[in-house]
């Protein structure tokens, strides 16, 4: 994995249960375009599971206000036009974070992490272009420090036990899960692609696995006009990662269908 930025962490062993640590992992939400029913299901799951930690895989916001794509065939307007729209995006992201934090606080979760996605990177590019507007950096605008989140910049892979986490904007293609294994040679969980994929391989050090865990974005045509009616493979989902001794783990993907899912024998409705 030459040239990759990696953050490694050890997991603290709790001797009083078989599962040493349990994390809930959520993919792309794209506020204000998040699916409200799917988010409601995730919140209920957090309060039921009471995980040890929570990981957001990025693209928390759509951040259309600072997207360069919207000006592809237009002249970019002045800042006084962009800033009010950026404020709307910031408010939408903070409202969603407030919702999720309510459930995380109820569950007593203090280990909270987020991997910045390519949409958050648009915010970083905007600040690079306008360096005097540092109050609009992603972490400052969303109060990440005050909320207690550990933030990983785009391109950073962080590792808990034997599993790597990151947003997932590399190694694309139809078979992106197997491409991750081929390129990384390690187990990884990621978002970005909005669909479900899993792949396994075996190397000299044993089994390695890769998971793409869908999205939590509204999939309706009116909220995704840029798709122009094209069919897609998007799926609403999140994941539960259980850790055992020696950093071993298992990943359970929880699919959400029309705002409903089954979890630990209970039907959750958004």
């Amino acid at each position: 994995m030459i040239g990759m930025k990696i953050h490694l962490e050890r997991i603290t062993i709790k001797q009083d249960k078989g599962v040493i640590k349990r994390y809930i992992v959520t993919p792309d939400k794209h506020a204000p375009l998040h699916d409200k029913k799917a988010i409601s299901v995730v919140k209920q799951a957090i309060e039921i599971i009471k995980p040890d930690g929570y990981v957001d895989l990025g693209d928390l916001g759509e951040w259309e206000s600072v997207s360069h794509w919207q000006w592809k065939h237009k002249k970019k307007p002045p800042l006084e036009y962009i800033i009010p729209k950026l404020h709307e995006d910031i408010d939408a992201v903070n409202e969603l974070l407030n919702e999720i934090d309510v459930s995380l606080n109820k569950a007593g979760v203090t280990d909270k992490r987020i991997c910045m996605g390519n949409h958050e990177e648009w915010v970083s590019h905007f600040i690079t272009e306008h360096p005097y507007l540092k109050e609009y950096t992603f972490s400052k605008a969303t109060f990440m420090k005050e909320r207690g989140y550990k933030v990983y910049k785009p391109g950073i892979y962080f590792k808990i036990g034997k599993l790597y986490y990151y947003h997932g904007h590399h190694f694309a293609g139809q078979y992106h899960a197997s491409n991750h294994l081929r390129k990384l040679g390690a187990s990884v969980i990621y978002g970005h692609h909005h669909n479900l994929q899993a792949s396994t391989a075996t190397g000299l050090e044993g089994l390695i696995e890769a998971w793409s865990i869908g999205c939590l974005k509204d999939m309706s045509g009116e909220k995704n006009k840029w798709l122009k009616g094209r069919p897609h493979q998007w799926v609403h989902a999140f994941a539960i990662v259980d850790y055992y001794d020696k950093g071993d783990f298992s990943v359970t993907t929880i699919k959400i269908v029309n705002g409903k899912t089954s979890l630990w024998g209970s039907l959750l409705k958004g």
Side-chain angles (χ1 to χ4, degrees), residues 63-83 85-86 121-133:
W63 302 112
E64 184 179 6
S65 59
V66 290
S67 167
H68 60 285
W69 296 108
Q70 64 179 314
W71 313 119
K72 187 174 181 181
H73 301 293
K74 303 175 187 177
K75 182 179 179 181
K76 190 174 180 179
L79 272 179
E80 53 265 33
Y81 175 87
I82 296 173
I83 292 295
K85 293 185 179 296
L86 177 56
E121 200 165 12
W122 295 350
V123 182
S124 299
H125 292 162
F126 176 75
I127 300 303
T128 299
E129 188 177 353
H130 307 284
Y132 44 86
L133 297 176

Side-chain angles (χ1 to χ4, degrees), residues 183-228:
K183 294 282 189 178
L184 296 178
S187 292
V188 64
I189 186 169
Y190 59 95
H192 183 65
H193 297 274
H194 293 199
N195 64 0
L196 294 179
Q197 275 194 26
S199 185
T200 60
T202 304
L204 291 176
E205 296 185 357
L207 181 70
I208 55 174
E209 304 167 90
W211 289 268
S212 168
I213 62 167
C215 72
L216 294 166
K217 185 179 183 181
D218 189 321
M219 297 188 289
S220 60
E222 61 269 22
K223 291 292 182 69
N224 295 281
K225 295 178 182 178
W226 61 272
L227 280 173
K228 299 179 180 178

Side-chain angles (χ1 to χ4, degrees), residues 46-105:
I46 290 169
E47 293 175 30
I48 291 171
I49 294 170
K50 294 180 173 56
D52 298 284
Y54 173 79
V55 178
D56 185 313
L57 291 177
D59 281 4
L60 173 63
E62 179 71 8
W63 302 112
E64 184 179 6
S65 59
V66 290
S67 167
H68 60 285
W69 296 108
Q70 64 179 314
W71 313 119
K72 187 174 181 181
H73 301 293
K74 303 175 187 177
K75 182 179 179 181
K76 190 174 180 179
L79 272 179
E80 53 265 33
Y81 175 87
I82 296 173
I83 292 295
K85 293 185 179 296
L86 177 56
H87 276 220
E88 292 177 9
D89 284 347
I90 290 171
D91 289 345
V93 170
N94 277 309
E95 285 175 16
L96 177 56
L97 278 167
N98 290 343
E99 276 192 60
I100 294 171
D101 277 346
V102 166
S103 294
L104 291 172
N105 290 338

Side-chain angles (χ1 to χ4, degrees), residues 102-119:
V102 166
S103 294
L104 291 172
N105 290 338
K106 284 182 180 179
V109 179
T110 56
D111 182 357
K112 301 188 291 186
R113 306 150 187 260
I114 182 168
C115 309
M116 289 174 62
N118 54 298
H119 283 244

